[in-house]
Structures are given as structure tokens and as C-alpha cells.
């Protein structure tokens, strides 16, 4: 079966070098994530993350924030087990991530990235590839949750509309909503969103934002977003700086702290104001 993770390997610069350990466990994951002194670098001479410690509780929505290149995606890559940690331990539901059978683990993740991959096929088949035995009802339910059902119904052939190169032209927001519907079709307990709304206009982003509030209920969510305002409802925000978790707290707590998060938010607001002044 083709999982969404297998598509992700295609966008990585290199194939992940991870391997199954002996007697790997196959287990339904619940979504508790613990970093214990985790260090990692893509190259031995270049540390990206150093001695990261934190716990994400089942069902929590966590926003990961930091300047470009600080290691936000890297942190998520480790949780997705695309790479082994160099040092320390990453535990999922109290079990070392290395002990899970890799294919099983990957199949249980819901992942939405910035660049959405859709096949030249029908909307239905694009959604179904995450779960080939999904019923029509399950597909519609996922599409409704992702705010995609209404626009799908308005396309020429509904769920049977052909998309892609020679098919119906979807907008970026529509593609992303299909990707989200696909990601939740398996009802994943761990949902990963890396810049999932960054390339969208404000209106599409708003629609997806509304959908996300519904989607994150009952699952652990790790989200990276270019526009920080989209993360302000997260249970907690983690700010990465200098290879470490520099700040952690709610949007309001971190604003009050007037530290890195405050600076990032203020800088983004100023950019926004400048742009509005120009137009
Ligand atoms: N596949 C890779 N191989 C080597 N270095 C990488 C790779 N991916 C990211 N990096 C480096 O790791 C650091 C953190 O990158 P990344 O996690 O993508 O940052 P962010 O998502 O915060 O922008 C950067 O210095 C980046 O150049
Ligand atoms: Mg990134």
C-alpha cells in the first residue's frame, strides 16, 4: 500500500536511512510524544537540535515556531521517524520510536505538507489512496471535516471529477483541503502539518483554519505555520532557537514574556502593515 509517507520520501533530498530493529512492535499509537535529551544533525559535524526535552500529551495541539532554518521541520522529521535521533530517546506512548515497525508507524500518521501531491486521477481516488478500503461514507465524512465537501460537490462530476494535468483545475486552497481530508481518512492519532497553509491566500487559509479546529480534536497535532497568527489557538507553542527549545507556552504567555516569540510576532505584524500600506 502506498502511504502518504512514501510520497514524502520523494520530496526529501535523500532516502531516509532508517531500518526496522529486530522484532519490531506493531501497535496502535495513541499520540503521546516524549523527547529525552534528543540531539540530531543531518551531518555529524553539524548539530541541528541539541538535548531537546519535552513531552507532548495525547490530544495536545502544539505549534512549532522559530526563524527559518532553526530546525522546526527537523523536529517533525524525527517525530515522523524519517531519521533516527543521534543521541537521547524519542518515545511514542512510552515506547522508543525505533522499536515500532516503520511501515506500521508511518501508516498511522496524518501528514500535510506545503506542497500537496495529487495524482492525475479522480478526487475520490486521490483521497482513497491513503486508505484503499475506505467506504464512500468515510470519504465524505473526511471531506466534510476538511471543509472540502461543498466545493467537491460543485465540480463537474463531484467526487468523480478528474484532477491534475489534464483534469479540472483546483485552486491551491482546494488542493490543500483534499490533502487534509486524505490525511485524516485513517483517523490518525498523530497529525503533522508543516507549512500546510503557507502558500494559500488569506481566505483559503481561513477556511482551512476553521477546518483544523475540528480536525485536531481527539488527536495530537504538531503544526508549523509561516503565518504565526494561525497557531495562536495552540495549547502550547514551542520556540526553537540556537538548537534548543528557547521558549514554551501559550500565545498569551509568550507575548507577555516579550522574548523571541514576541519579536517574531511583532516583526510579522510590521511586515503586514507595510504591505497593506503599499497596496
Ligand atoms: N535533508 C537535509 N540535509 C542536510 N541538512 C538539512 C536537511 N534538511 C535541513 N537541513 C538543515 O538543517 C537545518 C534546519 O532545517 P529545517 O529543520 O528545515 O529548518 P526550519 O524548518 O526551521 O526552516 C538547516 O540548517 C538546514 O539547512
Ligand atoms: Mg521547515
Amino acid at each position: 500500500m502506498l502511504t502518504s509517507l512514501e510520497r514524502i520520501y520523494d520530496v526529501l533530498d535523500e532516502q531516509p536511512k532508517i531500518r526496522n530493529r529486530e522484532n519490531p512492535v506493531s501497535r496502535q499509537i495513541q499520540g503521546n510524544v516524549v523527547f529525552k535529551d534528543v540531539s540530531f544533525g543531518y551531518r555529524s559535524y553539524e548539530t541541528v537540535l541539541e538535548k531537546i526535552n519535552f513531552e507532548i500529551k495525547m490530544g495536545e495541539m502544539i505549534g512549532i515556531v522559530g526563524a527559518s532554518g532553526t530546525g522546526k521541520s527537523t523536529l517533525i522529521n524525527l517525530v515522523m521517524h524519517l531519521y533516527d535521533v543521534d543521541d537521547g530517546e524519542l518515545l511514542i506512548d512510552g515506547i522508543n520510536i525505533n522499536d515500532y515497525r516503520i511501515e506500521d508507524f508511518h501508516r498511522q500518521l496524518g501528514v500535510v505538507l506545503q506542497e500537496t501531491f495529487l495524482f492525475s486521477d479522480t478526487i475520490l481516488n486521490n483521497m482513497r489512496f491513503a486508505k484503499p478500503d475506505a467506504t464512500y461514507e468515510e470519504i465524505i465524512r473526511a471531506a466534510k471535516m476538511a471543509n472540502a465537501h461543498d466545493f467537491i460537490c460543485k465540480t463537474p462530476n463531484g467526487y468523480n471529477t478528474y484532477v491534475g494535468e489534464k483534469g479540472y483545475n483546483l485552486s491551491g486552497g482546494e488542493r490543500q483541503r483534499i490533502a487534509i481530508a486524505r490525511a485524516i481518512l485513517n483517523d490518525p492519532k498523530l497529525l503533522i502539518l508543516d507549512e500546510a497553509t503557507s502558500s494559500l491566500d488569506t481566505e483559503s487559509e481561513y477556511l482551512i483554519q476553521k477546518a483544523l479546529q475540528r480536525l485536531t480534536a481527539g488527536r495530537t497535532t504538531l503544526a508549523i505555520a509561516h503565518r504565526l497568527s494561525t497557531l495562536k489557538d495552540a495549547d502550547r507553542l514551542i520556540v526553537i532557537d540556537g538548537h534548543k527549545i528557547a521558549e514554551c507556552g501559550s500565545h498569551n504567555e509568550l507575548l507577555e514574556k516579550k522574548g523571541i516569540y514576541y519579536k517574531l510576532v511583532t516583526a510579522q505584524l510590521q511586515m503586514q502593515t507595510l504591505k497593506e500600506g503599499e497596496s
Side-chain angles (χ1 to χ4, degrees), residues 9-274:
Y9 296 156
D10 293 348
V11 301
L12 290 172
D13 299 342
E14 48 186 323
Q15 283 287 313
K17 293 180 189 77
I18 48 164
R19 293 225 174 129
N20 276 320
R21 301 295 145 100
E22 248 177 79
N23 303 318
V25 294
S26 296
R27 210 162 176 271
Q28 167 75 48
I29 57 177
Q30 304 298 319
N32 177 277
V33 181
V34 175
F35 278 74
K36 268 192 191 166
D37 282 329
V38 168
S39 298
F40 176 79
Y42 295 93
R43 302 179 192 91
S44 54
Y45 53 88
E46 205 173 66
T47 305
V48 177
L49 297 170
E50 197 180 353
K51 289 200 181 290
I52 299 287
N53 282 293
F54 73 88
E55 171 165 12
I56 303 170
K57 300 209 177 59
M58 234 177 263
E60 255 193 314
M61 155 84 181
I62 300 287
I64 302 168
V65 178
S68 173
T70 47
K72 302 182 293 297
S73 296
T74 303
L75 189 87
I76 273 181
N77 288 345
L78 295 179
V79 174
M80 293 196 282
H81 202 187
L82 298 182
Y83 298 92
D84 284 339
V85 305
D86 292 333
D87 240 317
E89 272 190 324
L90 181 48
L91 306 173
I92 307 288
D93 303 338
I95 295 174
N96 194 310
I97 195 166
N98 298 332
D99 294 338
Y100 287 89
R101 184 182 294 279
I102 293 161
E103 309 78 57
D104 277 350
F105 183 76
H106 284 167
R107 202 171 291 131
Q108 295 185 58
L109 303 175
V111 181
V112 186
L113 304 177
Q114 184 168 10
E115 292 297 321
T116 302
F117 183 87
L118 294 182
F119 302 101
S120 290
D121 205 327
T122 61
I123 292 175
L124 187 72
N125 286 340
N126 265 288
M127 282 184 62
R128 204 172 244 167
F129 102 104
K131 189 181 180 190
D133 59 348
T135 64
Y136 203 57
E137 284 70 35
E138 284 177 305
I139 294 211
I140 290 175
R141 214 180 119 245
K144 280 185 175 166
M145 280 181 82
N147 257 342
H149 179 71
D150 288 350
F151 89 75
I152 292 172
C153 289
K154 285 182 196 143
T155 60
N157 295 305
Y159 283 83
N160 293 317
T161 297
Y162 220 81
V163 297
E165 286 130 50
K166 288 181 186 144
Y168 183 77
N169 236 337
L170 296 166
S171 74
E174 290 167 344
R175 294 171 70 85
Q176 229 22 355
R177 278 179 277 160
I178 289 179
I180 292 171
R182 175 165 72 191
I184 56 156
L185 196 55
N186 266 325
D187 195 20
K189 290 289 177 276
L190 201 49
L191 183 63
I192 309 266
L193 309 162
D194 191 348
E195 310 268 13
T197 60
S198 297
S199 57
L200 306 180
D201 55 63
T202 328
E203 194 188 323
S204 303
E205 189 176 32
Y206 175 75
L207 279 169
I208 289 174
Q209 202 57 35
K210 296 291 282 181
L212 286 181
Q213 290 168 5
R214 254 174 287 152
L215 300 177
T216 55
R219 42 185 133 244
T220 307
T221 309
L222 282 169
I224 301 173
H226 176 67
R227 263 164 280 189
L228 296 176
S229 55
T230 61
L231 295 178
K232 68 178 192 300
D233 295 326
D235 295 312
R236 282 188 295 158
L237 296 162
I238 287 168
V239 182
I240 304 183
D241 194 56
H243 313 301
K244 307 248 188 203
I245 294 182
E247 294 172 7
C248 181
S250 70
H251 169 78
N252 285 334
E253 282 165 4
L254 292 187
L255 280 188
E256 270 170 35
K257 199 171 172 173
K258 291 212 156 54
I260 298 164
Y261 181 72
Y262 175 84
K263 278 190 200 132
L264 288 169
V265 170
T266 320
Q268 218 165 60
L269 280 175
Q270 275 167 355
M271 283 295 291
Q272 189 75 30
T273 318
L274 276 175

